[in-house]
Amino acid sequence: MKSTRLSSSSLFIICLCLICHAAVPILSLKLYEIVCHETSKDLDFCLRFLGGDYKIVGATNYHDLSKYILDLTTYEAKSVQEYFTSVSQKLPSNAIRKCINDFYNKAIDTLSRAMDELNNPQYAKDGVAYAGDRVVDCDNGLQRQGIKYDPEVHDWNVAISALCKISFLAINHLP
C-alpha cells in the first residue's frame, strides 16, 4: 500500500482554504450590516431602517457610510421636530416646547457639526452621543410631565436615539 502522507505545504494550503472559507460570511456582509450587527437590541431596527436607503446600502467605506447615516439621522430628527411642532399645536405643553426648541435644536445642530467633523472621529462620536442624550432628555421630560401623548412621540424619540447610537458605531470604524 502507498502512504497518503500530507506534505507541510499541502497542510498549509488546506488550512488557508478553511480560514478563507470561514471568513466568507463576514466578507459578504455590506458595511451597514456589519455596523448593525454591532448593535445589541437595535439589530432589526437597524437592518430595516438603514437597508431602505440606497446610499447606505451601497457605501463602500466607513467614512461615506458614517456620512450617510448621519445625514439620515439629521433628516429624521428634523422630521420629528416638525412632528412635535404639529403635536404642540394640539396639545401645548412646556415639555413638548422644550423638546422642540431646546433638545431637538441642540441634537440637530450637533449632528450637523458631527457630519462636518468626520475627519476628527472622536469629536464626531462625542457629538452623536450628545445628540442622543438630548433626545433621551426630551423623552424623559415628556414622561415626567405625565401627559399622555400619542405613543408615536415616544417611538420617534426611541428611533432617533437608536440612530444616534448606530451613527456612533459607524464613526467608530474611522481611523
Short mmCIF file of all heavy atoms in Angstrom, two decimals, residues 53 58 73 76-77 134 152 175:
data_model
loop_
_atom_site.label_atom_id
_atom_site.label_comp_id
_atom_site.label_asym_id
_atom_site.label_seq_id
_atom_site.Cartn_x
_atom_site.Cartn_y
_atom_site.Cartn_z
N ASP A 53 -32.21 52.66 2.53
CA ASP A 53 -31.53 53.81 1.95
C ASP A 53 -30.44 53.31 0.99
O ASP A 53 -29.46 52.71 1.42
CB ASP A 53 -30.92 54.67 3.06
CG ASP A 53 -30.34 55.97 2.55
OD1 ASP A 53 -29.42 55.92 1.69
OD2 ASP A 53 -30.78 57.04 3.00
N GLY A 58 -25.19 50.99 -0.44
CA GLY A 58 -24.11 50.97 -1.42
C GLY A 58 -22.77 51.53 -0.92
O GLY A 58 -21.80 51.56 -1.69
N THR A 73 -29.92 60.45 9.96
CA THR A 73 -30.29 60.73 11.35
C THR A 73 -30.70 62.20 11.51
O THR A 73 -31.70 62.50 12.17
CB THR A 73 -29.11 60.40 12.29
OG1 THR A 73 -28.74 59.02 12.10
CG2 THR A 73 -29.47 60.62 13.74
N GLU A 76 -34.11 62.68 9.87
CA GLU A 76 -35.19 62.11 10.70
C GLU A 76 -35.42 62.95 11.95
O GLU A 76 -36.56 63.13 12.38
CB GLU A 76 -34.86 60.66 11.07
CG GLU A 76 -34.88 59.70 9.90
CD GLU A 76 -36.23 59.60 9.19
OE1 GLU A 76 -37.28 59.77 9.85
OE2 GLU A 76 -36.24 59.34 7.98
N ALA A 77 -34.35 63.48 12.55
CA ALA A 77 -34.50 64.34 13.73
C ALA A 77 -35.28 65.61 13.37
O ALA A 77 -36.14 66.05 14.14
CB ALA A 77 -33.14 64.68 14.33
N ARG A 134 -29.65 64.23 24.22
CA ARG A 134 -30.69 65.28 24.18
C ARG A 134 -32.05 64.65 23.83
O ARG A 134 -33.08 65.08 24.35
CB ARG A 134 -30.35 66.36 23.15
CG ARG A 134 -29.08 67.16 23.41
CD ARG A 134 -28.97 67.90 24.73
NE ARG A 134 -28.97 67.13 25.92
CZ ARG A 134 -27.90 66.49 26.48
NH1 ARG A 134 -26.72 66.53 25.91
NH2 ARG A 134 -28.02 65.81 27.61
N GLU A 152 -46.66 57.46 19.35
CA GLU A 152 -45.71 57.73 18.27
C GLU A 152 -44.62 58.70 18.72
O GLU A 152 -43.49 58.63 18.25
CB GLU A 152 -46.47 58.29 17.06
CG GLU A 152 -45.78 58.02 15.76
CD GLU A 152 -46.65 58.39 14.57
OE1 GLU A 152 -47.87 58.18 14.60
OE2 GLU A 152 -46.07 58.90 13.60
N PRO A 175 -10.56 55.73 11.15
CA PRO A 175 -9.24 55.74 11.80
C PRO A 175 -9.01 56.99 12.63
O PRO A 175 -9.58 58.01 12.47
CB PRO A 175 -8.27 55.69 10.62
CG PRO A 175 -9.05 56.13 9.42
CD PRO A 175 -10.49 55.90 9.73
#
